[in-house]
Amino acid sequence: KYHGHYTTKNALKFVLHVPLRASNLVSLRWSFVDFDTSTITIPRKEMKAKSGDDFLLPLSDEAIAILKEQYLFTSHKEYVFVADNGEHIDEVTPSRALQRMGFNNEDLGNKQRLHSFRSTFRSLVDTHQMAHRCSYEAKEKVLDHVVGSGVERAYTQKAIYTEEMRLLLTWWSKYVLAMVEG
């Protein structure tokens, strides 16, 4: 049975805690999720930047809880966020939901789209740098941005930021939950 409203709601809740690009969010597969290590690993070929290692992203407890809730509905499917046709939800589905909720209504001056979650994440983690003290590199790695010149990358490409990213995303989830709780 299709549980589309749960899927869209959980996709939006998840992306609040995990600032993925829309394409990566909607096409997230259960095979990418590792509940034992609280991580997702997205094959590099599915990311915007096509070269380098697969995209490994640690997840906060809240992000894992959202996935476990979604697991009840779609664990028997390939994709985490499934549409009624059995495929993953469309890239525009979360933005349409934001529009229906009034967050994406240009007449009212609201222009919150799914991609805005990524820039909001980046702005707020910079604003609150002293609260988490995570590096520029960790912030950019969470967003899967390429960092530095070609020469810099040649020297730093094997640096591992997973634990620092976990600290950052745990801080971020607590920040989001504090905002939601008021």
Side-chain angles (χ1 to χ4, degrees):
K1 184 172 173 4
Y2 172 57
H3 299 281
H5 55 292
Y6 291 113
T7 286
T8 303
K9 179 185 89 166
N10 283 335
L12 285 171
K13 282 172 50 180
F14 187 72
V15 81
L16 274 175
H17 296 273
V18 183
L20 292 174
R21 289 182 178 90
S23 60
N24 298 122
L25 172 70
V26 301
S27 66
L28 188 65
R29 290 176 170 86
W30 284 117
S31 61
F32 301 169
V33 178
D34 187 335
F35 285 111
D36 293 333
T37 61
S38 296
T39 58
I40 55 173
T41 304
I42 301 175
R44 180 50 55 193
K45 68 182 182 344
E46 298 200 16
M47 299 301 293
K48 184 176 179 181
K50 302 295 184 201
S51 63
D53 294 334
D54 290 346
F55 180 60
L56 173 67
L57 193 63
L59 302 175
S60 66
D61 291 345
E62 183 64 20
I64 288 292
I66 295 163
L67 287 178
K68 285 184 175 178
E69 182 181 328
Q70 186 63 21
Y71 192 81
L72 299 172
F73 304 112
T74 63
S75 62
H76 61 291
K77 300 286 187 182
E78 178 181 4
Y79 297 100
V80 174
F81 304 111
V82 179
D84 55 1
N85 65 3
E87 292 298 313
H88 62 74
I89 59 175
D90 192 272
E91 269 189 55
V92 298
T93 299
S95 288
R96 280 194 195 125
L98 290 171
Q99 191 170 28
R100 284 193 304 273
M101 292 185 286
F103 291 105
N104 185 6
N105 184 334
E106 293 192 34
D107 295 337
L108 299 175
N110 300 330
K111 296 181 182 179
Q112 185 72 33
R113 291 174 177 79
L114 196 60
H115 190 77
S116 305
F117 288 37
R118 290 171 57 82
S119 59
T120 298
F121 163 82
R122 192 61 174 86
S123 295
L124 286 172
V125 298
D126 276 351
T127 299
H128 298 283
Q129 175 66 32
M130 296 308 289
H132 56 76
R133 298 182 181 269
C134 290
S135 68
Y136 168 81
E137 289 81 5
K139 294 176 216 173
E140 290 296 286
K141 292 277 189 183
V142 164
L143 296 171
D144 195 44
H145 288 165
V146 176
V147 178
S149 68
V151 172
E152 286 175 296
R153 287 194 309 273
Y155 284 93
T156 63
Q157 68 179 346
K158 295 301 178 188
I160 299 171
Y161 292 92
T162 309
E163 289 313 307
E164 189 177 5
M165 291 162 59
R166 186 179 306 281
L167 288 171
L168 181 59
L169 288 170
T170 296
W171 175 85
W172 176 245
S173 277
K174 289 177 182 174
Y175 182 84
V176 167
L177 290 172
M179 283 193 304
V180 169
E181 293 164 6

